Amino acid sequence: MISPTALLGVAKDLAELDRTRPRQASLRRAVSTAYYAVFHLLIQDSVRALVGQRQEIREVASRWFSHTQMASACGFFQGSKVLLKHQPVGKGLAGIPVSQELQDVARAFQTLQQARHEADYDMSSRRFTRQSAQQLVEQAEQAFADWQTATVDPWRPLLMLLMLTGDSVIKTR
Amino acid sequence: MEPGNSVEEALKAVDQGLGNLKTSPHVHELQHESGLDSNGEAAAFITVVLDDAQDGQPYPWTRLKPIHDLIWHVFTERAVDRKPYIDFRLVSEVGVAVDDDVDEGSSP
């Protein structure tokens, strides 16, 4: 399976290329690669938690994640209170705040996904700069650390599940 | 009176809060544009224009995160109905032509 850490390393290398006159191609590939580093990190940890250690099953399940569903799931965890389809989660959980680290991972994922979309497809309007590309790569790097710190966050497994299933499984009553 | 939940009002509140951030670079200007993100959700695309560092290097994320968190805090607290997407640029990078890696063409 692809190594998220290796992808992050490539993103950092690309963002550092041509320091005085960075090329758009390098900056765009840096941003896109940083997104995919976080994308694969979240998928690999999620399948490990959800379907166990058997590699063949993990590889199959990994392909069931979609960019859109993952972004949608992250949208539920970007504040301290979890609102699923605008409804508070069950009574017993309402008082448990989302950790700052998990919020930051959720925000970083959506930010990087949007930036990756612009880096890969929007060739006309947005120009990436060293500052913007480095910011995004470092945000991805921080997301790696935050994701590990958030291991103790009780909301983390629910985020993993919703990234796979999407929000259609949520019942609001 | 309830605080306003428009993007413009939220950014005014952000601007007022920036003075409390002691370790972040100076914000020269906050720009924004409303639109849809790549998933079709309402978004506010915010560009934070920063004064250049004396050494000419990009600022590390650790110094930008407080600004990023302030924007998120204000947008969340005010329940702004657009998701903030935050981009940081240096004054020297705004309006400057960037090498576009233009191909010379592939005709023989």
Side-chain angles (χ1 to χ4, degrees):
Chain A
M1 295 179 87
I2 198 163
S3 163
T5 307
L7 282 174
L8 183 63
V10 171
K12 290 162 77 172
D13 290 345
L14 287 166
E16 289 288 317
L17 282 178
D18 312 311
R19 293 182 68 87
T20 53
R21 294 188 68 185
R23 290 176 295 171
Q24 279 297 293
S26 304
L27 298 176
R28 286 173 183 270
R29 296 317 307 153
V31 170
S32 182
T33 306
Y35 167 68
Y36 275 106
V38 176
F39 175 76
H40 287 293
L41 173 73
L42 298 188
I43 290 176
Q44 287 184 18
D45 279 359
S46 296
V47 292
R48 196 171 288 117
L50 295 170
V51 303
Q53 295 297 324
R54 185 77 183 252
Q55 187 167 346
E56 300 93 322
I57 297 175
R58 282 168 38 201
E59 286 177 0
V60 169
S62 294
R63 302 185 67 84
W64 296 345
F65 286 76
S66 81
H67 297 281
T68 304
Q69 284 187 174
M70 290 175 72
S72 172
C74 284
F76 297 130
F77 297 90
Q78 292 178 336
S80 60
K81 291 179 186 171
V82 177
L83 295 175
L84 298 178
K85 294 187 175 176
H86 308 294
Q87 300 291 322
V89 183
K91 290 173 188 169
L93 296 169
I96 303 174
V98 180
S99 65
Q100 187 62 54
E101 288 81 9
L102 198 64
Q103 290 180 51
D104 286 346
V105 170
R107 294 172 183 177
F109 183 82
Q110 286 201 331
T111 296
L112 287 161
Q113 186 180 95
Q114 177 65 26
R116 175 258 166 181
H117 187 86
E118 292 169 8
D120 285 354
Y121 303 120
D122 186 352
M123 299 298 157
S124 58
S125 59
R126 181 167 179 175
R127 294 287 183 270
F128 287 89
T129 66
R130 269 196 70 207
Q131 177 66 67
S132 60
Q134 181 172 309
Q135 161 218 330
L136 291 161
V137 171
E138 289 187 8
Q139 199 171 353
E141 188 173 23
Q142 185 62 49
F144 271 60
D146 288 337
W147 183 242
Q148 294 312 314
T149 305
T151 303
V152 295
D153 187 319
W155 293 109
R156 190 176 184 260
L158 193 61
L159 171 58
M160 291 179 175
L161 179 65
L162 288 173
M163 285 194 296
L164 175 62
T165 64
D167 63 7
S168 62
V169 298
I170 299 170
K171 291 182 171 53
T172 53
R173 65 180 178 84
Chain B
M1 193 168 72
E2 289 289 316
N5 66 351
S6 70
V7 173
E8 290 79 5
E9 289 170 300
L11 288 180
K12 275 184 195 168
V14 169
D15 199 33
Q16 289 167 1
L18 287 171
N20 298 324
L21 305 181
K22 302 302 181 196
T23 60
S24 296
H26 182 258
V27 174
H28 181 81
E29 187 182 9
L30 289 171
Q31 303 173 344
H32 84 277
E33 194 173 319
S34 294
L36 300 177
D37 67 15
S38 59
N39 291 311
E41 301 289 331
F45 298 101
I46 298 163
T47 303
V48 181
V49 183
L50 304 165
D51 284 344
D52 284 62
Q54 286 188 340
D55 62 5
Q57 294 301 305
Y59 292 102
W61 174 243
T62 49
R63 293 191 64 196
L64 305 181
K65 189 171 183 296
I67 302 172
H68 179 273
D69 288 352
L70 173 64
I71 295 171
W72 265 98
H73 175 73
V74 170
F75 271 61
T76 304
E77 191 175 52
R78 291 173 173 246
V80 177
D81 60 0
R82 289 184 177 276
K83 188 163 293 178
Y85 287 95
I86 305 159
D87 183 31
F88 291 91
R89 280 168 197 255
L90 304 176
V91 169
S92 63
E93 294 175 332
V94 176
V96 174
V98 179
D99 290 348
D100 273 338
D101 316 332
V102 177
D103 287 336
E104 296 298 326
S106 57
S107 56

